Amino acid sequence: MGEPAGTGASRPGTFARAWAKAVSGTSYLPMTQAQLEALLQRLTQRLAAALRAEPFDPRVGHQVGAELVAAHIASAEGLGRTVEVIQLRLLRDLGLVGDDISDRLARLLATVTTGYARALRDRTLDEQESIRRAAMVARAQAERALRDSESRFRHQATHDPLTDLPNRTLFTDRLAAAIAAPGRGADRVGVCFLDLDRFKVVNDSLGHQVGDALLVQVAQRLRRALGDHLVARLGGDEFVILVERTGGTDDVVKAAEAALAAVSEPALADGHELSVTASVGIVERPVAGTTPGELMRAADSTLHWAKAAGGARWALFDPARHRTELARYALSAAIPAALDRGEFFLDYQPLTSLRDGTLLGVEALVRWRHPELGVLSPGSFIGLAEETGLIVRLGGWVLAEACREAESWAAGGGPVPFVSVNLAVRQVNRPDLVQEVRGLLAQTGLPPERLQLEITESTMMSAGAEDPVRALRALNDLGVRIAIDDFGTGYSNLAYLRDLPVTELKMAGEFVTGLRAPQVDPASRTDERILASLVSLAHALDLTVTAEGVETADQADLLRAIGCDAGQGWHFGRPAPAARILEQIR
């Protein structure tokens, strides 16, 4: 087999260009046209060499087919055009002749397609394996990312993000486990509920950034000082310490004192030097018969006791005190419904002239006819009403009821007493106090001079702002009497009364208690002189004086002798219903 003379080296190049043109566009080829032609010219030369070789070895076609696939000429169309161009042009373009040349070309084309198919299959398998491995890697990465995410969701679900302390959820779980663990019924458990004192001032004055920095420092100190116990942040400036398997109250007290000492060290937060204190509520009890909720509520209540005592201290849970406070809370919560059901009523105590014994006025005293506890005196619920703000509604009812009942006394004939009603601080500070009183007087028909409003000395001092004083002056201008109640228990200062619209002073019963006949108690002379001086000064200010707590005739005589105008107490009459007052008037 030979090659005609004059074919030259250009003939493989001519065929390679035709081959490149045939396969272009059949697949994505990551090479330039020149690079493709160079590749195919090299393969053309290998095919030509195989056709001329003696003996003939068609296995070269396997390599050519594999190289086509490796060069990304890897599509059915690309293979078809390759077979077509080789079959039609290879022998002619390269001038190859011979007796068995056609047979050799057919066998060579068969090996090219076989090599091509094998290479394509192997590449497909390799790609599938790569995809499988990539999928496995991606799945493993996704699973790892999911585990990491779940883990982070759990540094977030059980720990405080600011301080990295355990949060309420983790603390509650640990507390529940400490209580419910089997075989430990005789164990005891303790909780310290800690709250920073006046932390709101730090946030409000220096900003939340400083407040957060302070909380982080406090958390770090508590963790160091109480490393043997679980310390958690419940939120805000509230922290809690769990003391498990205690030997008694002392173990929990030691933990509380260690916490207070750690917190009290000066702190430098975001460039600000801060002095910090805290209050702690302590609960320690057997785990048997208790629950996490009960423990936390008891600790919270005890924390408030420590706060109320001035802070910077710990307080120990007292079951008796707790029961009392629960009862007080239940009582205060029942006041609105009791008003709606008409359970409150008024008694009246006489204010009697010390000169001639006539009835000058009566003081309205509210009572509560409780369906379970019986009749309750004001001392049982007035303080609660003041704490909760219900005193405004209750006091408004007392004022309205007293005006309504007092108006009816005029029908009895003879001198008609005024009615005296106590006003709480919240009532004095209400902007519509004057309108309320004016409306009640108009509604009931009670003359203004027959209404006296009693304000305690401390209330009058706290009402020293311009608006409350203006309201009291407006009431005084209407003709309403203004009295200072319990004088002597607060400031005992007559000077400030010069500029206030006050018409009467009611001396506190403590001044009267010490008054006895000189032959019985010579020391009573001192109390008598004090009272005489106060009465003289009050008269100098054009104020009338009523002594409260008068229980004996001797006390009444001594008060009359020093010039006191009126007396109130059991000696002159105990509190009684309005009907009894009407009988007395008649």
Side-chain angles (χ1 to χ4, degrees), residues 204-228:
D204 292 346
S205 59
L206 301 179
H208 289 276
Q209 181 176 347
V210 176
D212 287 350
L214 176 59
L215 290 175
V216 171
Q217 285 200 38
V218 168
Q220 292 171 346
R221 292 179 181 183
L222 292 176
R223 183 186 283 119
R224 287 195 301 266
L226 298 151
D228 294 336

Side-chain angles (χ1 to χ4, degrees), residues 525-557:
R525 286 288 188 188
T526 301
D527 295 324
E528 184 179 343
R529 293 191 189 99
I530 293 174
L531 271 174
S533 298
L534 290 176
V535 169
S536 177
L537 289 172
H539 286 167
L541 292 172
D542 201 24
L543 303 175
T544 59
V545 181
T546 297
E548 297 180 299
V550 182
E551 297 182 355
T552 67
D554 287 342
Q555 290 173 337
D557 291 339

Side-chain angles (χ1 to χ4, degrees), residues 197-198 260 277-280 303 305-314:
D197 298 326
R198 296 173 293 279
L260 289 176
T277 61
S279 301
V280 179
L303 170 63
W305 299 347
K307 289 278 190 183
R313 68 191 67 205
W314 55 264

Side-chain angles (χ1 to χ4, degrees), residues 170-179 188-193 226 228-232 239-246 252 255 295-296:
L170 178 55
F171 177 82
T172 303
D173 290 345
R174 282 282 301 273
L175 178 58
I179 292 174
R188 302 178 69 87
V189 67
V191 169
C192 298
F193 200 157
L226 298 151
D228 294 336
H229 306 298
L230 176 66
V231 180
F239 299 85
V240 65
I241 304 159
L242 175 62
V243 184
E244 299 185 58
R245 294 184 292 278
T246 68
V252 193
L295 271 174
M296 292 306 294

Side-chain angles (χ1 to χ4, degrees), residues 93-232:
D93 286 358
L94 271 63
L96 296 173
V97 296
D99 294 337
D100 60 350
I101 192 65
S102 297
D103 180 62
R104 289 189 177 194
L105 179 61
R107 294 171 63 188
L108 189 59
L109 277 174
T111 58
V112 168
T113 56
T114 300
Y116 186 97
R118 288 176 178 172
L120 186 59
R121 179 199 62 193
D122 292 343
R123 193 182 80 157
T124 301
L125 292 175
D126 289 343
E127 289 176 347
Q128 289 176 344
E129 179 64 16
S130 298
I131 292 172
R132 186 184 69 82
R133 291 188 178 183
M136 290 178 61
V137 171
R139 183 166 58 250
Q141 291 175 340
E143 290 174 351
R144 183 165 55 252
L146 178 61
R147 288 194 299 270
D148 293 343
S149 176
E150 290 175 344
S151 178
R152 287 193 299 271
F153 175 77
R154 284 192 296 270
H155 282 335
Q156 295 176 1
T158 61
H159 283 74
D160 173 52
L162 176 64
T163 63
D164 199 35
L165 286 178
N167 63 9
R168 183 186 296 270
T169 300
L170 178 55
F171 177 82
T172 303
D173 290 345
R174 282 282 301 273
L175 178 58
I179 292 174
R184 289 168 48 186
D187 283 355
R188 302 178 69 87
V189 67
V191 169
C192 298
F193 200 157
L194 181 146
D195 184 86
L196 300 184
D197 298 326
R198 296 173 293 279
F199 177 72
K200 187 176 184 297
V201 176
V202 176
N203 271 344
D204 292 346
S205 59
L206 301 179
H208 289 276
Q209 181 176 347
V210 176
D212 287 350
L214 176 59
L215 290 175
V216 171
Q217 285 200 38
V218 168
Q220 292 171 346
R221 292 179 181 183
L222 292 176
R223 183 186 283 119
R224 287 195 301 266
L226 298 151
D228 294 336
H229 306 298
L230 176 66
V231 180

